[in-house]
Amino acid sequence: MKIRQSNGRRSSPGNGFYLAISTCSVIAVLLLWWIASRHAWVNPLFLPSPSEVWSAFADIVHEGYKGSTLLAHIGASFRRIFLALILVFLTAVPLGIVCGRNRLLRAIFDPFIEFYRPLPPLAYYSLLVLWFGIQDTSKIVLLFLGGFAPMFIAAVYSTRRIPVDRINGARSLGANGLRLYLFVIFPSCLPDLLTGLRTAVGVTYATLVAAEMVAAVSGIGWMVLDASKYLRSDIIYAVIIIMGIIAILIDSAIRLLIRRVSPWIEQ
């Protein structure tokens, strides 16, 4: 029986309904994985059983990996990511806002952003290693470049869509120069900037494995690459699942922040 609201329209299911659907889909995939591994539908080298992956995860948690604990590897990757994202927010946001307000500046910077934005990170990582060495600096710069373009584009877009009446009204009340940017333009852009931050975090996180490919001895991305050298698919699956869970937690935190800053935007 279909439930109808007083205005005659159908009522949409609540969030709990969709959460239950998502939970059932995950359980179905895990069940299919267990059945496939139990009946050897796929070579165990390519698809280890859930119990083997869980055992590898337990070993990593209790004994660590290659002399470092799991938290140490996660901390090394997070330090690189967060340093890169801080630099992204401190540079791409003000530059994007200014370029959104000034067409001349946008014409100067836009060709360079559009040139490197679609390039695969590994295409220019060797250059970064030559310029900045094999230490963390080149890795942080690579992550920074991965997140800069989407953050810059979001800042430009959000600035250009601010109503002109809002700017003129603020100016008529005495807001000019830096005060106009700090108290009018930046708050107006903040919801779109946080949405752009979600994209920047996703791109940066996806670039992590590439960043830890050269001369790294720590990090969750490096763990995947190192385990692949020894055909330890159980460790590869375990670390990939860990990376996915961390990514979901980070994205959920950003979405919660967006709802707090702009509750009228549906996430």
Side-chain angles (χ1 to χ4, degrees):
M1 182 177 180
K2 298 177 181 179
I3 301 175
R4 294 181 179 271
Q5 296 177 338
S6 58
N7 59 4
R9 292 183 300 178
R10 298 177 184 175
S11 61
S12 59
N15 292 333
F17 172 79
Y18 295 106
L19 179 61
I21 294 297
S22 298
T23 303
C24 290
S25 66
V26 172
I27 293 175
V29 170
L30 291 177
L31 182 61
L32 179 62
W33 178 13
W34 179 79
I35 294 174
S37 61
R38 183 174 180 82
H39 294 281
W41 292 350
V42 183
N43 190 323
L45 178 64
F46 304 128
L47 185 67
S49 66
S51 60
E52 291 175 336
V53 174
W54 175 258
S55 178
F57 171 76
D59 289 342
I60 294 173
V61 170
H62 292 98
E63 302 177 8
Y65 187 80
K66 295 297 180 71
S68 298
T69 64
L70 177 61
L71 289 179
H73 285 294
I74 294 175
S77 295
F78 266 46
R79 181 174 58 85
R80 295 163 183 151
I81 289 175
F82 284 135
L83 285 175
L85 289 176
I86 289 173
L87 292 175
V88 165
F89 205 84
L90 292 178
T91 56
V93 170
L95 181 62
I97 290 176
V98 173
C99 288
R101 297 283 300 160
N102 190 308
R103 189 171 182 179
L104 176 61
L105 288 177
R106 188 164 68 250
I108 294 174
F109 289 100
D110 209 43
F112 301 101
I113 302 296
E114 292 300 323
F115 171 77
Y116 96 85
R117 181 176 62 86
L119 293 178
L122 291 178
Y124 51 85
Y125 190 27
S126 57
L127 291 177
L128 297 180
V129 172
L130 289 175
W131 294 342
F132 300 102
I134 61 176
Q135 302 302 320
D136 274 2
T137 302
S138 60
K139 300 172 178 57
I140 294 172
V141 172
L142 180 68
L143 297 174
F144 165 78
L145 291 175
F148 182 88
M151 196 76 245
F152 173 84
I153 293 172
V156 172
Y157 169 78
S158 60
T159 304
R160 297 184 63 187
R161 66 194 294 263
I162 297 176
V164 178
D165 293 341
R166 185 180 305 172
I167 302 295
N168 293 335
R171 283 175 172 169
S172 66
L173 294 175
N176 289 301
L178 185 60
R179 297 180 62 185
L180 178 66
Y181 281 91
L182 289 179
F183 299 108
V184 179
I185 296 177
F186 180 74
S188 299
C189 296
L190 190 55
D192 288 329
L193 292 178
L194 291 176
T195 302
L197 181 62
R198 287 183 64 191
T199 305
V201 169
V203 174
T204 303
Y205 200 71
T207 312
L208 180 64
V209 176
E212 294 178 344
M213 284 185 64
V214 178
V217 292
S218 62
I220 51 180
W222 171 79
M223 291 175 64
V224 173
L225 294 170
D226 188 75
S228 66
K229 298 176 183 177
Y230 304 98
L231 300 180
R232 290 296 308 272
S233 57
D234 53 344
I235 295 179
I236 295 174
Y237 275 78
V239 177
I240 288 176
I241 292 173
I242 293 172
M243 293 176 67
I245 293 174
I246 292 175
I248 291 174
L249 294 176
I250 294 175
D251 188 71
S252 298
I254 297 176
R255 292 174 64 181
L256 178 61
L257 181 60
I258 293 174
R259 285 197 294 268
R260 293 290 181 87
V261 173
S262 51
W264 60 90
I265 297 179
E266 182 179 356
Q267 295 292 328

